[in-house]
Amino acid sequence: IRATTYSNRKNLPKDYIKNMEENFPPSYIKQFLEGNWDSTQNAVYDQLMSHHIIPRQKIHDHWYKCIGLDHGTRVDTSIVFMAKDESGRVYIYDEWHKPHPTVNEIVQACNRYGPQPIVADYSMKVQDRDYGSWWRDLQSHGLNLIEAVKEKSGNILLVNQLLFQNKLFFFDQLEYVIDQHRNYMFVDKLHANDDQFKVVKKNDHSCDAVQYAVRHLKNVNVKNPSAKWAMINDGHTLDDYVKGKV
């Protein structure tokens, strides 16, 4: 039996359907509102278009910056450098990857633009050597590690929402990251029936790193420095204050 969310409208919050229609990609509308799970679309990021890939531009000082880190023991370790501006746009502006890197190589890569919060896979906390874990070793070198939220379905939705809203951009020199996102695929047509959203676990290291950072950036609000100046520069003169006019 196939049912739609529209048929249950009276039991939903007032703007629930409107909010989904305005903010969710078409593939999600088809599945979660219309109840149609017959899509043959296997691409995870079906909203990724050519206009999301842009030339390098300035990353302003007041933007919030962080790093997404996906550590691999047998495959690539991937680092993505990301920034969020005051309008909510997110930029992937640099990356680094290497198979079997040393602790010092990861530290050096993460410090390329100075200290930044690093959203990382908490599986690195597992002690895998006689003397400790990757997490502890990286922290001992001064890296500010934050545990990533590894909810695959939610993280994928956030990335697709940003793409749909034209708020996620890749600098065009990042071929490694762009190629992995373009080729990021679901295992089969029935992926949406599985809460984990089964994806092909191959050449997806930067995809995981971006997901970790995007989830972290979700609740980060960036203020424009001019807004702070506007509060100070309220249009009154020194004479107004001296004469008690304000």
Side-chain angles (χ1 to χ4, degrees):
I1 299 175
R2 175 175 292 175
T4 72
T5 302
Y6 294 106
S7 63
N8 192 40
R9 186 189 298 266
K10 64 180 181 180
N11 296 316
L12 297 171
K14 181 180 178 181
D15 295 326
Y16 181 86
I17 291 178
K18 179 182 178 182
N19 179 63
M20 287 196 69
E21 290 175 335
E22 292 178 350
N23 296 290
F24 283 63
S27 58
Y28 283 78
I29 297 299
K30 190 172 184 179
Q31 294 169 348
F32 292 101
L33 285 187
E34 299 174 6
N36 185 345
W37 301 90
D38 297 333
S39 172
T40 58
Q41 175 65 54
N42 272 27
V44 174
Y45 295 135
D46 57 347
Q47 295 299 302
L48 178 55
M49 307 295 177
S50 59
H51 64 265
H52 294 117
I53 300 168
I54 63 174
R56 180 189 290 272
Q57 60 178 268
K58 181 178 180 180
I59 301 297
H60 295 274
D61 292 339
H62 71 277
W63 292 1
Y64 182 89
K65 306 168 194 69
C66 70
I67 292 170
L69 167 61
D70 183 58
H71 179 255
T73 53
R74 300 179 181 178
V75 293
D76 286 352
T77 288
S78 176
I79 293 171
V80 292
F81 297 85
M82 300 178 61
K84 185 176 185 179
D85 68 15
E86 58 268 29
S87 68
R89 289 187 292 261
V90 175
Y91 303 86
I92 307 170
Y93 64 91
D94 206 353
E95 68 91 15
W96 178 91
H97 64 276
K98 186 176 183 180
H100 318 298
T102 65
V103 169
N104 286 332
E105 286 174 327
I106 295 175
V107 171
Q108 184 176 5
C110 287
N111 286 329
R112 179 180 295 177
Y113 297 99
Q116 294 186 26
I118 302 166
V119 192
D121 183 349
Y122 54 77
S123 65
M124 290 193 299
K125 288 188 172 184
V126 176
Q127 183 169 329
D128 60 351
R129 301 182 303 288
D130 292 338
Y131 54 87
S133 67
W134 284 92
W135 190 278
R136 185 180 301 172
D137 290 346
L138 293 173
Q139 283 186 322
S140 71
H141 283 75
L143 296 190
N144 176 20
L145 300 181
I146 300 171
E147 287 190 18
V149 176
K150 296 179 64 176
E151 184 203 352
K152 182 64 69 176
S153 58
N155 291 346
I156 287 174
L157 174 57
L158 284 175
V159 174
N160 263 325
Q161 280 184 304
L162 288 174
L163 290 170
F164 176 65
Q165 297 166 357
N166 290 320
K167 288 190 173 182
L168 178 62
F169 300 95
F170 301 71
F171 282 11
D172 57 13
Q173 82 275 12
L174 307 179
E175 294 182 4
Y176 178 86
V177 178
I178 294 168
D179 286 345
Q180 289 199 350
H181 280 72
R182 279 177 167 166
N183 294 296
Y184 195 39
M185 297 290 170
F186 287 117
V187 172
D188 53 50
K189 301 175 186 177
L190 301 178
H191 61 267
N193 290 328
D194 187 327
D195 288 340
Q196 296 303 312
F197 271 29
K198 293 179 180 178
V199 294
V200 177
K201 292 301 295 177
K202 183 179 180 181
N203 298 327
D204 63 342
H205 321 300
S206 69
C207 297
D208 286 343
V210 168
Q211 288 171 21
Y212 300 158
V214 163
R215 186 62 171 258
H216 173 71
L217 289 167
K218 176 185 176 183
N219 297 317
V220 172
N221 294 314
V222 181
K223 294 183 179 179
N224 191 318
S226 62
K228 183 177 180 180
W229 170 246
M231 294 177 64
I232 299 173
N233 184 21
D234 55 9
H236 297 293
T237 65
L238 178 60
D239 189 56
D240 291 332
Y241 288 96
V242 171
K243 295 180 178 180
K245 295 181 178 179
V246 292

PDB file of all heavy atoms in Angstrom, residues 70-86:
ATOM      1  N   ASP A  70      38.668  12.608   7.560  1.00  0.00           N
ATOM      2  CA  ASP A  70      38.323  11.186   7.523  1.00  0.00           C
ATOM      3  C   ASP A  70      39.617  10.396   7.488  1.00  0.00           C
ATOM      4  O   ASP A  70      40.364  10.465   6.514  1.00  0.00           O
ATOM      5  CB  ASP A  70      37.457  10.864   6.310  1.00  0.00           C
ATOM      6  CG  ASP A  70      37.035   9.402   6.295  1.00  0.00           C
ATOM      7  OD1 ASP A  70      36.403   8.959   7.271  1.00  0.00           O
ATOM      8  OD2 ASP A  70      37.331   8.707   5.306  1.00  0.00           O
ATOM      9  N   HIS A  71      39.885   9.678   8.558  1.00  0.00           N
ATOM     10  CA  HIS A  71      41.144   8.952   8.674  1.00  0.00           C
ATOM     11  C   HIS A  71      41.010   7.532   8.124  1.00  0.00           C
ATOM     12  O   HIS A  71      40.051   6.830   8.435  1.00  0.00           O
ATOM     13  CB  HIS A  71      41.590   8.894  10.140  1.00  0.00           C
ATOM     14  CG  HIS A  71      42.859   8.145  10.346  1.00  0.00           C
ATOM     15  ND1 HIS A  71      42.913   6.881  10.880  1.00  0.00           N
ATOM     16  CD2 HIS A  71      44.140   8.484  10.050  1.00  0.00           C
ATOM     17  CE1 HIS A  71      44.167   6.475  10.930  1.00  0.00           C
ATOM     18  NE2 HIS A  71      44.926   7.421  10.431  1.00  0.00           N
ATOM     19  N   GLY A  72      41.956   7.148   7.304  1.00  0.00           N
ATOM     20  CA  GLY A  72      41.966   5.795   6.762  1.00  0.00           C
ATOM     21  C   GLY A  72      43.234   5.066   7.141  1.00  0.00           C
ATOM     22  O   GLY A  72      44.331   5.644   7.078  1.00  0.00           O
ATOM     23  N   THR A  73      43.098   3.823   7.536  1.00  0.00           N
ATOM     24  CA  THR A  73      44.277   3.034   7.879  1.00  0.00           C
ATOM     25  C   THR A  73      44.800   2.266   6.668  1.00  0.00           C
ATOM     26  O   THR A  73      46.006   2.122   6.482  1.00  0.00           O
ATOM     27  CB  THR A  73      43.957   2.042   9.009  1.00  0.00           C
ATOM     28  OG1 THR A  73      42.811   1.263   8.641  1.00  0.00           O
ATOM     29  CG2 THR A  73      43.651   2.793  10.301  1.00  0.00           C
ATOM     30  N   ARG A  74      43.875   1.778   5.824  1.00  0.00           N
ATOM     31  CA  ARG A  74      44.266   1.020   4.636  1.00  0.00           C
ATOM     32  C   ARG A  74      44.032   1.799   3.352  1.00  0.00           C
ATOM     33  O   ARG A  74      44.455   1.360   2.285  1.00  0.00           O
ATOM     34  CB  ARG A  74      43.492  -0.297   4.588  1.00  0.00           C
ATOM     35  CG  ARG A  74      43.729  -1.195   5.795  1.00  0.00           C
ATOM     36  CD  ARG A  74      42.921  -2.464   5.690  1.00  0.00           C
ATOM     37  NE  ARG A  74      43.116  -3.327   6.853  1.00  0.00           N
ATOM     38  CZ  ARG A  74      42.492  -4.484   7.048  1.00  0.00           C
ATOM     39  NH1 ARG A  74      41.614  -4.915   6.157  1.00  0.00           N
ATOM     40  NH2 ARG A  74      42.736  -5.202   8.134  1.00  0.00           N
ATOM     41  N   VAL A  75      43.327   2.918   3.470  1.00  0.00           N
ATOM     42  CA  VAL A  75      43.018   3.739   2.301  1.00  0.00           C
ATOM     43  C   VAL A  75      43.450   5.172   2.586  1.00  0.00           C
ATOM     44  O   VAL A  75      44.144   5.441   3.553  1.00  0.00           O
ATOM     45  CB  VAL A  75      41.509   3.679   1.967  1.00  0.00           C
ATOM     46  CG1 VAL A  75      41.124   2.284   1.495  1.00  0.00           C
ATOM     47  CG2 VAL A  75      40.683   4.067   3.198  1.00  0.00           C
ATOM     48  N   ASP A  76      43.011   6.104   1.747  1.00  0.00           N
ATOM     49  CA  ASP A  76      43.399   7.503   1.923  1.00  0.00           C
ATOM     50  C   ASP A  76      42.869   8.084   3.230  1.00  0.00           C
ATOM     51  O   ASP A  76      41.743   7.796   3.646  1.00  0.00           O
ATOM     52  CB  ASP A  76      42.850   8.360   0.778  1.00  0.00           C
ATOM     53  CG  ASP A  76      43.597   8.150  -0.523  1.00  0.00           C
ATOM     54  OD1 ASP A  76      44.626   7.460  -0.514  1.00  0.00           O
ATOM     55  OD2 ASP A  76      43.136   8.689  -1.547  1.00  0.00           O
ATOM     56  N   THR A  77      43.680   8.926   3.832  1.00  0.00           N
ATOM     57  CA  THR A  77      43.184   9.871   4.825  1.00  0.00           C
ATOM     58  C   THR A  77      42.864  11.146   4.056  1.00  0.00           C
ATOM     59  O   THR A  77      43.670  11.626   3.264  1.00  0.00           O
ATOM     60  CB  THR A  77      44.242  10.150   5.903  1.00  0.00           C
ATOM     61  OG1 THR A  77      44.361   8.997   6.744  1.00  0.00           O
ATOM     62  CG2 THR A  77      43.858  11.351   6.769  1.00  0.00           C
ATOM     63  N   SER A  78      41.663  11.681   4.274  1.00  0.00           N
ATOM     64  CA  SER A  78      41.215  12.849   3.514  1.00  0.00           C
ATOM     65  C   SER A  78      40.926  14.017   4.450  1.00  0.00           C
ATOM     66  O   SER A  78      40.263  13.856   5.476  1.00  0.00           O
ATOM     67  CB  SER A  78      39.946  12.517   2.716  1.00  0.00           C
ATOM     68  OG  SER A  78      39.451  13.666   2.051  1.00  0.00           O
ATOM     69  N   ILE A  79      41.431  15.175   4.085  1.00  0.00           N
ATOM     70  CA  ILE A  79      41.207  16.415   4.839  1.00  0.00           C
ATOM     71  C   ILE A  79      40.586  17.431   3.889  1.00  0.00           C
ATOM     72  O   ILE A  79      41.074  17.632   2.766  1.00  0.00           O
ATOM     73  CB  ILE A  79      42.523  16.966   5.406  1.00  0.00           C
ATOM     74  CG1 ILE A  79      43.088  16.026   6.471  1.00  0.00           C
ATOM     75  CG2 ILE A  79      42.340  18.376   5.967  1.00  0.00           C
ATOM     76  CD1 ILE A  79      44.485  16.388   6.933  1.00  0.00           C
ATOM     77  N   VAL A  80      39.492  18.057   4.311  1.00  0.00           N
ATOM     78  CA  VAL A  80      38.883  19.128   3.518  1.00  0.00           C
ATOM     79  C   VAL A  80      38.835  20.396   4.361  1.00  0.00           C
ATOM     80  O   VAL A  80      38.528  20.355   5.554  1.00  0.00           O
ATOM     81  CB  VAL A  80      37.460  18.762   3.030  1.00  0.00           C
ATOM     82  CG1 VAL A  80      37.523  17.643   2.009  1.00  0.00           C
ATOM     83  CG2 VAL A  80      36.558  18.370   4.187  1.00  0.00           C
ATOM     84  N   PHE A  81      39.157  21.504   3.742  1.00  0.00           N
ATOM     85  CA  PHE A  81      39.130  22.811   4.392  1.00  0.00           C
ATOM     86  C   PHE A  81      37.867  23.532   3.949  1.00  0.00           C
ATOM     87  O   PHE A  81      37.638  23.722   2.749  1.00  0.00           O
ATOM     88  CB  PHE A  81      40.364  23.628   4.009  1.00  0.00           C
ATOM     89  CG  PHE A  81      41.664  23.014   4.457  1.00  0.00           C
ATOM     90  CD1 PHE A  81      42.290  22.054   3.678  1.00  0.00           C
ATOM     91  CD2 PHE A  81      42.251  23.387   5.657  1.00  0.00           C
ATOM     92  CE1 PHE A  81      43.481  21.476   4.081  1.00  0.00           C
ATOM     93  CE2 PHE A  81      43.445  22.814   6.071  1.00  0.00           C
ATOM     94  CZ  PHE A  81      44.066  21.860   5.291  1.00  0.00           C
ATOM     95  N   MET A  82      37.043  23.932   4.924  1.00  0.00           N
ATOM     96  CA  MET A  82      35.742  24.504   4.601  1.00  0.00           C
ATOM     97  C   MET A  82      35.505  25.805   5.346  1.00  0.00           C
ATOM     98  O   MET A  82      36.055  26.024   6.428  1.00  0.00           O
ATOM     99  CB  MET A  82      34.644  23.481   4.899  1.00  0.00           C
ATOM    100  CG  MET A  82      34.819  22.207   4.079  1.00  0.00           C
ATOM    101  SD  MET A  82      33.619  20.904   4.383  1.00  0.00           S
ATOM    102  CE  MET A  82      32.084  21.685   3.946  1.00  0.00           C
ATOM    103  N   ALA A  83      34.688  26.659   4.753  1.00  0.00           N
ATOM    104  CA  ALA A  83      34.369  27.954   5.355  1.00  0.00           C
ATOM    105  C   ALA A  83      32.895  28.276   5.138  1.00  0.00           C
ATOM    106  O   ALA A  83      32.302  27.866   4.135  1.00  0.00           O
ATOM    107  CB  ALA A  83      35.240  29.052   4.745  1.00  0.00           C
ATOM    108  N   LYS A  84      32.322  29.005   6.086  1.00  0.00           N
ATOM    109  CA  LYS A  84      30.918  29.415   5.993  1.00  0.00           C
ATOM    110  C   LYS A  84      30.835  30.925   6.126  1.00  0.00           C
ATOM    111  O   LYS A  84      31.447  31.512   7.010  1.00  0.00           O
ATOM    112  CB  LYS A  84      30.100  28.750   7.099  1.00  0.00           C
ATOM    113  CG  LYS A  84      28.600  29.029   7.024  1.00  0.00           C
ATOM    114  CD  LYS A  84      27.852  28.261   8.108  1.00  0.00           C
ATOM    115  CE  LYS A  84      26.344  28.434   7.987  1.00  0.00           C
ATOM    116  NZ  LYS A  84      25.614  27.662   9.031  1.00  0.00           N
ATOM    117  N   ASP A  85      30.072  31.566   5.224  1.00  0.00           N
ATOM    118  CA  ASP A  85      29.950  33.015   5.279  1.00  0.00           C
ATOM    119  C   ASP A  85      28.660  33.424   5.989  1.00  0.00           C
ATOM    120  O   ASP A  85      27.883  32.582   6.445  1.00  0.00           O
ATOM    121  CB  ASP A  85      30.044  33.642   3.881  1.00  0.00           C
ATOM    122  CG  ASP A  85      28.850  33.316   2.988  1.00  0.00           C
ATOM    123  OD1 ASP A  85      27.799  32.855   3.495  1.00  0.00           O
ATOM    124  OD2 ASP A  85      28.954  33.532   1.764  1.00  0.00           O
ATOM    125  N   GLU A  86      28.432  34.722   6.083  1.00  0.00           N
ATOM    126  CA  GLU A  86      27.312  35.238   6.864  1.00  0.00           C
ATOM    127  C   GLU A  86      25.953  34.960   6.225  1.00  0.00           C
ATOM    128  O   GLU A  86      24.923  35.062   6.891  1.00  0.00           O
ATOM    129  CB  GLU A  86      27.471  36.746   7.115  1.00  0.00           C
ATOM    130  CG  GLU A  86      27.582  37.587   5.862  1.00  0.00           C
ATOM    131  CD  GLU A  86      29.007  37.802   5.412  1.00  0.00           C
ATOM    132  OE1 GLU A  86      29.858  36.926   5.680  1.00  0.00           O
ATOM    133  OE2 GLU A  86      29.281  38.844   4.789  1.00  0.00           O
TER     134      GLU A  86
END
